[in-house]
Amino acid sequence: MDQRDASVPTISRLGPFRASVATFGALIGSGFRRYATYRQATLAGTFTNVVFGFLRCYVLLAVAEGAAGNMPAGYDAEQLATYVWAGQGLLSVIGIWGWTELADRIRTGDIAADLLRPIGPVTAFLAADLGRALHGMLTRFAAPLLAGAIFFPLHTPARWQTVPLFAVSIALAVIICFGCKYLVNATAYWLQDARGPIMLWTLGSGVLGGLYFPLRLLPDGFVTALWLGTPLPSLLQTPLDVIAERDGPVTQIALVALQLLWAVTMLLLAGLVQRRAERRLVVQGG
Amino acid sequence: MIQMQDLKKDFVVRVKAGRLRRKKRVVAAVDGVSLSIGRGEMVGYIGPNGAGKSTTLKMLTGVLTPSSGTVSVCGLTPVPQRTKLALRIGVVFGQRSQLWWDLPLRESFALLRHVYRVPPAEHAARLERCRELLDLDEFMETPVRQLSLGQRMRGELTAALLHGPEVLFLDEPTIGLDVVSKQAVRSFLAELGAAGDVTLVLTTHDLADIERLCERLVVIDHGRVVHDGSIEALHARYGSRRSLVADLAAPLPDGFTLPGATLAAVTANGHRVTFTLDSSTAGAAVAGLVAAVPVRDLSVVEPDIEDVVSRLYSER
Amino acid sequence: MAEFRAYVALGTAQIRSAASYRASFLVELFGNVGATVFDVLTVLVLFRATPAVGGFTLREAILIVGISSAGFALADMLVGNVDKLKTYVRTGTLDAVLVRPLPALPQLLLMDLPVRKALRVVFGFVVLGLAVAANDVAWTPARVLLIALAPLMAGVFFSAIFVTSASLAFWWVDSGEIGSAFTYGGRDFTSYPISVYGSWFRNLFAYAMGFGFVAYQPALTLLGRDDPLGLPSWTGFLSPLVALVAAVIAGVVWRSGIRHYRSTGS
C-alpha cells in the first residue's frame, strides 16, 4: 500500500508524509512481532527480573533502616521499593543491554544492504527498537511491578500528573537509549570490532543509569554533573524518580525536559555519525 | 565392523494445536534399520531430507541413544563406550568444524594429537601423507577462519584421520564445495578406500560422490531402508536401462527393429536415434544397427542414477 | 596423565586464540575488572547513607563481599562460559564435542576459556586481602585454614551453580537468561549480610540452596561474631561441605542432561 503511495505522483502534499508515517508504523510492527516470537525467553527473563527485584529491594530497605531519618538520599522505604520494582519492569523496556545488531551487520558487511533501502538505517533501526520497547512494555513491565506490590508496600502516586509524565519519560528514555546504543554500535564503522565500546556501555549504563542504586546516594555535585553532562541518568533514574515522586512537580517536569533535550541530541548525533560513516564507506569502497 | 539390528529412534515433537495448546506427537526418525557393514567397505547412505540419515549417524557415533534395537561399531556399543569408540572412529560433519577457528591449521592438528593421544611418530607420518594427497602445504599456517570452504574441508578430513580411525563417518563431506574441491575430496577418499583398511560410511545429496566412491548404496526413506545393494542392483530393480545413441548417415528404414532393444527417440531429422537396451547386449545391438544403416558415431550411455533415486524418493 | 596433557593443550590453544585479537583482548581484560570494581563500589555507595546494613559495619560487610567476589570471579572465569550451552546445543557444537575421546564438560569449558576474565580474579582476591587486613581477626589455625578455603569453596559452589543452571538448556533450549537469576543473582545475594533479606526469601536462597554458607557464615566465623540469625559459629566451616554437595548435584544434573540430550537430540 504505502509503496504505491510513495511512487505514484500525488497531488496532495500530505501524500509522501502519510506514506512515510505508514512505513515507520510498519517497521514498528515488525520490531514488535520479532520479539513476540520469543515467548519462552520472555517468561524466563521476567522470572530473572523478579529475583533481582527481591535482591535489590531487600538491600535498599536495609539501607533505609539504618539511614538518618530512614530516608537515604531523600527516599522513604515505599519510594525505594517503587524505585526498585519499576526499575526491574523498565529494564527490558528501555533495553540498555544486548543490542549489537548494527555492529554485527557492519562487521559482516550486511550493512551495505541496509544502505540500499529507501529508509535510512537510523530511522529503520529506531522504528524496530520502538516496536521492541512496545512489546517489552506489554509483556515485561507489569509482572515485576505486581510481584513487588504483593511482597512490599509500594508508593502510590499522589499527583495525577505523575502517571502521564512517567509515560512520556519512558518514551524519551527509550529514544535516548536507542541513540546511545546506536553510537556505541557505530564505532564498528571505524574500529571493525565494537566489542570494547559495547562492553564499556554495558558496564557504565547499568551503574550510571541508576539501575543498581539510586544515583542520589552519590555526592550531589557529581550527580548534577552526570545528569547534565551525560545522557545516562536520563535512561532509568529520571523515569524512576518520576514514578517514585522523589521531587516536586516543577523539578519532575524539568528532569523530563532535560530528557527531551537529550533525546533530540542523541538522535541528531546518531544521524550525523551515520552520514559520516556512509561517506567514509563510499570513499573507501566498504 | 558395524552392526545395526532393528535400530529405532523416536522423537517427541510438540505440534501446535490452537493458540496455546501443544500436542505431543511421536515421530520415528529411524524406524527399524538393520545393516551390517564389513571392514573396508565403502557405503553410501542416502535419502531425502529428514529421512533419518543424520540420526543414524549420530547413533553410530555415540551422540544419540537409540530408542530400541542394538548397534555396535568396532565391537563397541557407542553411547556407553563413547570415549573408547571415539579413539577408533573419525567423524566429519560437513557443516560443523572440528578445527580451532582462530588458530592456524597446523596448531589444530597438533592439538588433536593430544586430544587423541597419538604417538608423535604416527601422527607425523599420517599428517605427511594427508599433506601430500590433499595439498595442505599452502595453507598450513593460515587461521581456520580465513580458509575457503574447500580448504577447510581438506583440513577437516585430515583432522578426522590423524588418529588412524578404523571407521570414517562423513556427513555430507562435499556440501557447498566447488567442482575442483569436490574432485579433490573424492579422489582422496577413493585412494583411502582403495587401501582397504578404513571402513567408510558417507551421507550425501550429491550422487556423483556415491558413483565415484561406493560399491554399496543404502537408501533410507521415512526411517526405513528401501534399498541396500550395488548401484547396478538399484538400476536392475527399478528397470533403468543403458541406452545406445547413434548418429546415422541416413534415417532408419521404416519398421526397423533391434532384437532386445526398444527405439526410444528419433531426433535431428531422423539422423540421431536412441535405443533402450532391454535384454540385448551393447555389442549385439551395435552389430545389428551397423548391419542395417551406415553409422557415423555411436555411444553407450549409462543410466542416470539421479533419475532412479528421484523416482525412488517420489514413490513414497 | 595423557588426558591431563590433552586438557592443558586445549587450554593453551584457547589462550593463543584469544591473544590473536590483541586490542579487543586488552579492552575486555580491563572491562571485566570494571564489572567487579562496580560491584564493590556499589557496596561502598550504600554505606555512605548508613553506618550499618543489616547490623554489619562497612569493614565487616567488605569481608563478605571479598569472599563472594573472589570465589565468583574464579568460578566465572573457569566455568562461567558453560552458560553458552544453549548456543552449543543449537549450533551442533555439542555433537562435535561428543565425538571426541574426552568428557564433554571439560572440553566445552577449555574450548572457550575466557582468559580475559583473569584480572578480575586478581581484583577479587585483592579486595579480600584488604578486607582481612581492615578487620581485627583473632587468628587461630582454624581461622587461617578457613580464610584459605572460603574463597576457593565459594568458587566451587558458584561453579556448581553455573553448571546446574546451564544444564537447564538440555531440557529447555529457550531458557534465555533464567540461569543468571541464580548465578549473578547468587553473587548479589552472597555479597550482603543475609540478615537483610526477608525470612522466606532468605530461607530459600541461604539455607535451602546453600548460598548462606558461601560467604556470610565463614565471614562471621572469621570475625568471631555471633550470627544474629542464631546459627552456631562452627557453621562457617560448613562451606567446603556445602560446596561439595553442590558440586555433586551439579555433576548429577549435568550427566542426566547429557543423557536427556542423547535421547532427544537438539
Side-chain angles (χ1 to χ4, degrees), chain B residues 239-266:
Chain B
S240 50
R241 305 275 185 264
R242 292 196 293 170
S243 46
L244 178 68
V245 182
D247 284 343
L248 310 175
L252 279 177
D254 278 348
F256 175 85
T257 54
L258 272 177
T262 330
L263 184 60
V266 181

Side-chain angles (χ1 to χ4, degrees), chain A residues 40 44 48 58 66 193 196 203 217, chain C residues 24 27 31 48 50 172 175 177 198:
Chain A
Q40 302 194 28
T48 308
Y58 280 128
D193 186 359
L203 276 179
L217 286 170
Chain C
S24 310
V27 171
R48 265 174 50 82
T50 169
W172 185 15
S175 54
E177 50 194 279

Side-chain angles (χ1 to χ4, degrees), chain A residues 59-94:
Chain A
V59 170
L60 281 179
L61 291 183
V63 170
E65 218 168 277
N70 293 343
M71 296 271 283
Y75 300 89
D76 67 23
E78 291 183 3
Q79 284 174 318
L80 280 176
T82 303
Y83 187 97
V84 168
W85 288 102
Q88 289 308 114
L90 280 186
L91 189 53
S92 43
V93 178
I94 313 290

Side-chain angles (χ1 to χ4, degrees), chain B residues 9 11 58 61-65 79 82-83 86-87 91 93 96-98 100 102-103 107 111 114-117 145, chain C residues 2-3 6 9-10 13 16-17 20-21 91-92 95-104 107 261-265:
Chain B
K9 182 74 212 176
F11 289 123
K58 283 182 183 175
T61 49
V63 174
L64 280 180
T65 319
V79 170
R82 196 202 97 216
T83 41
L87 292 170
V91 186
F93 293 115
R96 276 162 220 157
S97 187
Q98 281 282 355
W100 277 258
D102 294 316
L103 295 182
E107 291 192 37
L111 261 165
H114 290 289
V115 171
Y116 284 89
R117 289 160 252 165
R145 62 170 189 269
Chain C
E3 216 169 83
L10 285 173
R16 278 204 303 279
S17 298
S20 74
Y21 299 92
T91 57
D95 292 346
V97 158
L98 281 175
V99 299
R100 290 202 192 130
L102 291 172
Q107 275 194 75
Y261 177 77
R262 284 172 191 285
S263 65
T264 57

